[in-house]
Amino acid sequence: MRRAAITGGPGAGKSSLIAELARRDVATHDEVARNILQAPGGMALREQDPLGFAQAMYGAQLLLFEEAGQGTTVFDRGFADIAGFLDLSGLAVPPDIDRACRELRFEGPIFHAPAWRAIYTPDEERIQSWDEAVASDRAVVRSWRHYGYQLVELPLVSIDERAQFVIDQLASS
């Protein structure tokens, strides 16, 4: 079993890439934050209780992490993204999330979808401005590196080419 992840700020093409990988029969897991935001009360939770939102993300991420099957699974974000969100929110990382970041390891690779202005578009759940998206990107990259991960930079190319890049990297690592 091997768990890989795609990280980066909002609007960098992670979810589109995950969808394309799934279409190509790569095992994937969607971003837990977006699922929470789409649920009743999810946006209010994020806005009014960022720590509660982080705990909800942690619980959902933990379930997905534990149910990963044989072979390689590519996750849209991981535990270190939650720590990055907390850092960006000015909040301390609770012990359970810190422990998960340190002990529940993604075997890699960890792909970084850099902030990409040409494709960034706000939506119902992606409420950050461009500058906030860039700050979020920096926070999650810093977090993954803090927890000892090396990131593989995704090229700024079409979704088809990005998917092939990920597939090639998974095959060679």
Side-chain angles (χ1 to χ4, degrees):
M1 175 184 345
R2 182 171 67 157
R3 298 172 192 92
I6 302 171
T7 189
K14 297 177 304 298
S15 296
S16 296
L17 178 54
I18 286 287
E20 178 61 20
L21 291 170
R23 191 185 71 72
R24 295 181 185 208
D25 295 323
V26 175
T28 62
H29 279 300
D30 293 334
E31 179 184 13
V32 299
R34 188 165 281 262
N35 293 335
I36 294 165
L37 292 171
Q38 290 172 345
M43 289 298 290
L45 179 64
R46 183 190 185 282
E47 293 172 12
Q48 297 167 13
D49 184 7
L51 182 57
F53 181 63
Q55 289 290 355
M57 288 190 291
Y58 166 68
Q61 189 70 52
L62 185 60
L63 288 173
L64 292 181
F65 188 86
E66 290 173 345
E67 74 180 29
Q70 297 301 318
T72 298
T73 302
V74 181
F75 290 76
D76 187 339
R77 299 191 177 269
F79 298 113
D81 288 279
I82 301 167
F85 166 79
L86 288 163
D87 179 51
L88 190 63
S89 300
L91 298 169
V93 177
D96 56 344
I97 295 174
D98 181 66
R99 187 173 37 261
C101 290
R102 293 181 190 287
E103 297 176 7
L104 302 178
R105 304 297 291 178
F106 284 76
E107 296 84 9
I110 307 303
F111 297 100
H112 173 230
W116 188 1
R117 190 170 192 104
I119 66 168
Y120 180 77
T121 306
D123 64 22
E124 294 281 324
E125 293 89 30
R126 188 181 306 124
I127 57 173
Q128 298 88 348
S129 69
W130 168 249
D131 290 338
E132 290 168 329
V134 171
S136 179
D137 178 66
R138 289 184 187 131
V140 296
V141 166
R142 193 170 45 249
S143 181
W144 280 95
R145 289 182 177 151
H146 170 78
Y147 287 107
Y149 291 94
Q150 299 293 317
L151 280 63
V152 176
E153 200 77 9
L154 289 171
L156 303 180
V157 294
S158 73
I159 195 70
D160 193 50
E161 292 170 293
R162 266 188 167 186
Q164 192 57 53
F165 177 85
V166 168
I167 290 168
D168 292 346
Q169 289 289 313
L170 291 172
S172 68
S173 62

